Amino acid sequence: RDPPPLKQLTLMLDWYLSPQHAALIVAKERALFAAQGLEIELLTPADPSIAIKLLAAGEAALALPRQPLLHLHAHDGAPITRIATLIETPLNAVIVAGEAPAPAAVADALADLHYGYSTREGRDVLVEQLLPRSVRQVDDFVAPESVHFDAADALRSSRVDAVADGFFHTLPQQLASDGIVTHTVRYSDIDIPRHDGLILLANSDSVARQATTWSRVLIALEEASNWMIEHPEEAWTLLVTTHPVLDNPINQEAWDDLLRRVALSPAALDERRYAAFESYLQSAGVTENSIPVTRLEVNPHLLMER
């Protein structure tokens, strides 16, 4: 007797496939999704900003952004909710051209820069933190600009002095290979609250109805994450064998550090972390009010028990 057909789902990535998506690749290639009765197609968006829009419109089953985007879109009324965490720390940072200033001079140095940004949170959250209101009110202030997801070219051509939301595992290394010196300022150093670097979103209008399916997705991801930690070299080999485009020295050098950031229990909720980020957005003037954490995140395993 034939097994039942696999349930087909589409998952919209945040951008091109990379080692930060390792748990998804491992779950797919080791048939962990299939063991849960699922077949998940990983899709790369033509423009990273559309992933959440497609999810909200019901044109993708799942989407994979960073935590700040969840907050910003939820405040716009988008029907989205976090069901899992893949990476527990930010993977982005402020990447600045040139040598690092003395520690005491960092804040002043950051306030004098012309910034680029790739993402909405880069524009709405980070630039607001980096540029004091007093700086933005001077007559010769040059407004931050979008680098259209090509941060390396913007820094290489000196179009901007810094990128507010660059991937610190890859952008400085890309530029170093061209002889361009940069330094990295982590978000924790500029008082941005710690937040999840990569999360899985579902449509909140149907999350309770789909709880069994999302629970199965999370079981497969948990098995994948734990297998990667136990077998890091095998996991790397699996990634580059199935997706040769990932096989380069920069990705290989980042692999051990990325593994340390992987969520071993993807379903686990850190309500304090999400509440703290909501409070930060309101106090910084990015949002006018605070959304309850229950509106932002759920644990599908617990939904099934109700």
Side-chain angles (χ1 to χ4, degrees), residues 222-288:
E222 183 169 328
E223 291 183 11
S225 296
N226 282 270
W227 181 82
M228 292 192 303
I229 296 298
E230 298 291 346
H231 305 90
E233 292 178 10
E234 271 184 76
W236 173 252
T237 300
L238 176 63
L239 295 191
V240 298
T241 302
T242 55
H243 299 281
V245 69
L246 302 181
D247 191 5
N248 62 60
I250 291 176
N251 283 342
Q252 186 162 15
E253 186 180 333
W255 177 238
D256 285 345
D257 188 60
L258 276 169
L259 274 182
R260 287 194 286 270
R261 301 168 187 274
V262 166
L264 295 182
S265 181
L269 296 177
D270 186 341
E271 294 186 11
R272 183 209 57 80
R273 174 177 284 201
Y274 282 71
F277 206 85
E278 271 298 297
S279 296
Y280 169 75
L281 292 177
Q282 187 176 5
S283 64
V286 179
T287 57
E288 293 181 359

Side-chain angles (χ1 to χ4, degrees), residues 28-193:
K28 189 175 176 73
E29 298 298 335
R30 287 182 57 81
L32 301 175
F33 285 137
Q36 296 296 323
L38 305 170
E39 183 171 330
I40 297 185
E41 185 180 6
L42 305 179
L43 301 175
T44 299
D47 177 335
S49 66
I50 69 168
I52 289 179
K53 294 174 185 172
L54 293 173
L55 174 65
E59 294 177 29
L62 298 163
L64 196 70
R66 295 164 297 286
Q67 181 187 332
L69 279 176
L70 163 64
H71 294 265
L72 295 172
H73 282 274
H75 276 274
D76 290 344
I80 55 177
T81 189
R82 171 263 181 216
I83 61 168
T85 297
L86 271 68
I87 303 288
E88 293 185 341
T89 66
L91 298 176
N92 301 65
V94 186
I95 311 298
V96 186
E99 300 283 356
V106 168
D108 288 340
L110 289 173
D112 289 337
L113 301 176
H114 175 45
Y115 285 96
Y117 57 85
S118 292
T119 60
R120 182 178 172 187
E121 75 262 34
R123 181 193 70 194
D124 293 355
V125 180
L126 298 160
V127 166
E128 289 291 311
Q129 178 71 8
L130 291 161
L131 296 173
R133 186 152 293 152
S134 57
V135 171
R136 284 179 264 149
Q137 289 172 338
V138 299
D139 291 340
D140 60 351
F141 172 64
V142 181
E145 63 175 276
S146 170
V147 297
H148 302 295
F149 307 103
D150 195 351
D153 183 65
L155 283 166
R156 199 181 285 121
S157 64
S158 300
R159 205 171 85 228
V160 298
D161 303 318
V163 172
D165 49 7
F167 283 108
F168 60 76
H169 283 117
T170 54
L171 183 55
Q173 295 80 350
Q174 283 178 279
L175 294 166
S177 66
D178 294 330
I180 298 171
V181 174
T182 61
H183 64 277
T184 298
V185 180
R186 299 297 175 96
Y187 294 155
S188 56
D189 295 332
I190 52 171
D191 300 325
I192 303 286

